[in-house]
Amino acid sequence: MSNVDARRARTLSPAGGKPFGGGGESRRGRLSEKGIRRRRIFAALLFAGDIVSGSMAVVTGAAIVAVAAGQISLVGRTQAQMCLLLLLLLGINCSLGLYRANIRSPMERFRLRATATLLFVFAGMLMWIREGPLVELGIVPVVGVIALVLGVWTEHLVGALLVKSGLDRAPTAILGTGASSRALARLLLSRPACGLHPIGFIDDGVCSGNVVDVVVPGQDADGTSAFLPVLGTLDGWYADGSAEVVIVPDCECLPRDAAALYRLGARQVLVITQLGEFPTFGLQVRNADCLVALELNGKPTGYSKELKRAIDLVLALALLLLTAPIIGLLALAIKRADPGPAFYGQWRVGRCGRPIRILKMRTMYRDAEQRLERVLVSDPDLRKQWLRHFKLVKDPRVLPHVGSLMRRTSLDELPQLWNVIRGDMSLVGPRPFPSYHMDAFDPQFKALRATVPPGLTGLWQISSRSNGNLDVQRAEDCLYIKNRSLWLDLYILIATLPAVIRAMGAR
């Protein structure tokens, strides 16, 4: 089952609009204490985060407009309106369901935040036209943009806290014990970001035991085994708060009697459908009498090469000017750790398969290749790790302190802003790999990857980074290429900074 298969196709609701579980029992009453606590903590953290980020956005936006307009007294004069702006922002976010513990991908949540921002700007400007001078209207859109960026960063921070506490994933039961059910369990166990934690299987009539062995892909080639229990039968098992979600792995597995699903007592029932290679972002559910249909996008929405190039130039030039002092300080630190050039060029595979020379800051000793060869020859386990990831957890080639810092925070990639300005790369896209890395992929994926320019950051970099093996890299890059759009690029750009600060998966 591919990464695309994890996309939810349809959330079922029982006939008559009654909650799952039947009777007049409320949704809250069916959740376990842990489930109630998880949802409360999720909502409280997000709401508190938006109060902080929204307050910072309002004050910063007012200060920027005041300085630009040459009216320093503007901040103090508009305090009442700024408080109203904060309440308006929080109210719109709440009305769109941003503080509910729903099963949504980060991209879906970003779309909601972007929609909330547009509504906030529209309503805020209408309010300000009546209350303040026209020169102050600029505060509202500036506040909206800053609030959107800070809101995404806050969500990433909250997500990291929830992952550490184990409160980010909903307990999930999977219908059936067949091949499709086991494949889905493998996917969910290996991809915690889905927000679903499988706790077992529901016997649909073909079970022959009390546990099911699920081989989960791990860091090692052989993977690991997880034994998930059979919770009960479709007719006899009741969640009673132990499972918040029941997943039907395929439309073909739906029982003939829909009431059998409702009697399970889960808060949500999700049906998975396999969409193959179709783009999955922005899918729309259509209801036509007795039919439920997905409106598919035949191709990624994308956006013009000229617009993408213009955004790359403007942002890359600005970022290069801002980071020039940091690059200079790092270059001095490199020379102190290991005398020699602080920068070097590395040949990578670019768009249409042509070689490009990307700029990097040196994080390794000058005799790095000889050090690597000696280690791989002497240690079979490290050689196995290298062949699977083309990276080592403890790399003997890396410079002490400064080299580790740059690799952990990706600061060694900053000179590639010049590659973006030159047109060899884009700000967002699949990372450019060396030829030996690309040779490990199948021809079909290599041809797909060659259709887009490589990027300074990408979907893989804000999710798994170095933790992902070749299969994960392929899945993430395919997902980006088939769904690329201006919205997706903006989300990846905004989400890159918190991923770098957390040094998530970096080596």
Side-chain angles (χ1 to χ4, degrees):
M1 184 176 289
S2 69
N3 182 53
V4 175
D5 299 340
R7 306 293 156 183
R8 275 78 60 194
R10 176 68 172 161
T11 301
L12 297 181
S13 59
K18 294 181 181 180
F20 290 116
E25 192 177 14
S26 66
R27 286 175 180 253
R28 169 181 262 173
R30 286 188 312 281
L31 286 178
S32 65
E33 289 298 325
K34 185 177 179 180
I36 295 173
R37 178 170 168 265
R38 182 179 69 85
R39 292 174 179 276
R40 286 176 176 172
I41 291 176
F42 179 87
L45 287 176
L46 283 183
F47 189 73
D50 273 359
I51 290 177
V52 175
S53 61
S55 300
M56 292 174 60
V58 168
V59 174
T60 305
I64 291 174
V65 174
V67 171
Q71 301 181 17
I72 305 301
S73 61
L74 180 63
V75 177
R77 196 170 67 244
T78 59
Q79 285 183 353
Q81 288 90 337
M82 287 193 291
C83 291
L84 288 175
L85 283 181
L86 177 59
L87 291 175
L88 178 63
L89 178 64
L90 294 173
I92 292 176
N93 286 348
C94 186
S95 66
L96 291 182
L98 276 171
Y99 307 129
R100 299 176 195 152
N102 290 331
I103 301 169
R104 287 197 178 99
S105 70
M107 185 59 193
E108 288 177 304
R109 295 190 62 84
F110 175 70
R111 285 178 178 272
L112 275 181
R113 281 197 175 273
T115 301
T117 299
L118 293 176
L119 292 174
F120 165 78
V121 171
F122 177 73
M125 293 188 74
L126 287 180
M127 179 185 72
W128 213 288
I129 286 175
R130 299 180 58 184
E131 300 292 338
L134 291 178
V135 70
E136 300 173 5
L137 280 176
I139 294 177
V140 180
V142 174
V143 169
V145 172
I146 297 174
L148 175 62
V149 174
L150 294 181
V152 173
W153 291 351
T154 300
E155 279 203 8
H156 276 258
L157 176 60
V158 170
L161 293 174
L162 291 175
V163 167
K164 288 184 178 180
S165 64
L167 294 173
D168 64 316
R169 304 172 72 189
T172 302
I174 301 175
L175 181 65
T177 58
S180 58
S181 298
R182 293 194 300 272
L184 182 57
R186 276 197 303 273
L187 179 66
L188 296 181
L189 287 170
S190 62
R191 301 294 297 272
C194 290
L196 299 168
H197 175 61
I199 61 172
F201 299 92
I202 302 172
D203 180 8
D204 60 352
V206 296
C207 180
S208 59
N210 295 322
V211 294
V212 178
D213 183 9
V214 179
V215 179
V216 184
Q219 299 298 322
D220 299 326
D222 296 334
T224 58
S225 291
F227 293 91
L228 296 179
V230 176
L231 302 171
T233 64
L234 180 60
D235 295 328
W237 180 75
Y238 182 73
D240 196 25
S242 61
E244 297 180 27
V245 180
V246 169
I247 291 186
V248 182
D250 194 276
C251 293
E252 297 296 326
C253 299
L254 281 170
R256 297 183 62 181
D257 180 14
L261 287 174
Y262 309 149
R263 287 193 298 266
L264 295 176
R267 184 175 182 271
Q268 286 181 298
V269 174
L270 303 179
V271 179
I272 305 298
T273 185
Q274 300 185 23
L275 295 178
E277 299 299 325
F278 280 97
T280 56
F281 288 169
L283 289 177
Q284 299 293 324
V285 177
R286 305 300 184 194
N287 291 283
D289 195 14
C290 62
L291 300 177
V292 176
L294 288 176
E295 183 177 341
L296 299 178
N297 297 316
K299 59 181 179 179
T301 55
Y303 54 106
S304 68
K305 295 180 181 178
E306 292 76 15
L307 177 58
K308 187 175 178 64
R309 179 66 183 145
I311 293 174
D312 285 343
L313 275 176
V314 171
L315 293 182
L317 282 169
L319 289 172
L320 189 59
L321 290 175
L322 288 173
T323 58
I326 300 175
I327 295 174
L329 291 174
L330 290 174
L332 292 175
I334 292 169
K335 286 182 173 293
R336 290 198 61 178
D338 185 41
F343 302 90
Y344 73 101
Q346 192 176 65
W347 290 103
R348 299 288 179 93
V349 179
R351 188 172 189 175
C352 300
R354 68 181 181 87
I356 59 173
R357 187 178 176 86
I358 67 169
L359 299 177
K360 298 191 72 172
M361 304 198 74
R362 184 164 61 91
T363 61
M364 297 182 178
Y365 291 100
R366 284 174 295 170
D367 60 343
E369 295 307 317
Q370 290 82 0
R371 290 174 181 249
L372 175 65
E373 185 175 351
R374 289 196 296 268
V375 168
L376 296 183
V377 169
S378 61
D379 193 325
D381 290 336
L382 288 181
R383 182 174 183 83
K384 183 178 179 181
Q385 182 185 130
W386 173 260
L387 292 175
R388 184 164 179 80
H389 297 274
F390 292 105
K391 293 179 183 290
L392 297 177
V393 175
K394 294 182 179 179
D395 199 324
R397 302 172 295 170
V398 178
L399 294 173
H401 306 305
V402 63
S404 301
L405 172 66
M406 286 192 294
R407 291 170 72 86
R408 190 169 61 250
T409 58
S410 298
L411 290 174
D412 59 317
E413 312 285 358
L414 286 177
Q416 290 168 38
L417 288 167
W418 180 246
N419 288 102
V420 176
I421 295 172
R422 288 179 50 184
D424 296 331
M425 296 171 57
S426 177
L427 282 175
V428 181
R431 282 294 295 160
F433 286 147
S435 56
Y436 66 82
H437 196 147
M438 287 298 297
D439 289 342
F441 294 111
D442 58 273
Q444 183 181 2
F445 174 66
K446 289 193 288 187
L448 177 67
R449 222 174 184 267
T451 60
V452 297
L456 184 61
T457 185
L459 193 60
W460 174 44
Q461 281 64 45
I462 66 171
S463 54
S464 54
R465 294 182 78 183
S466 297
N467 284 336
N469 56 28
L470 294 178
D471 292 335
V472 174
Q473 294 169 17
R474 187 188 190 284
E476 295 286 357
D477 284 345
C478 283
L479 187 64
Y480 170 78
I481 294 171
K482 294 179 182 300
N483 293 277
R484 63 190 185 276
S485 65
L486 177 59
W487 282 111
L488 183 56
D489 278 9
L490 288 176
Y491 169 70
I492 291 173
L493 285 173
I494 294 173
T496 295
L497 183 61
V500 168
I501 290 175
R502 287 191 290 148
M504 181 180 59
R507 295 175 189 167

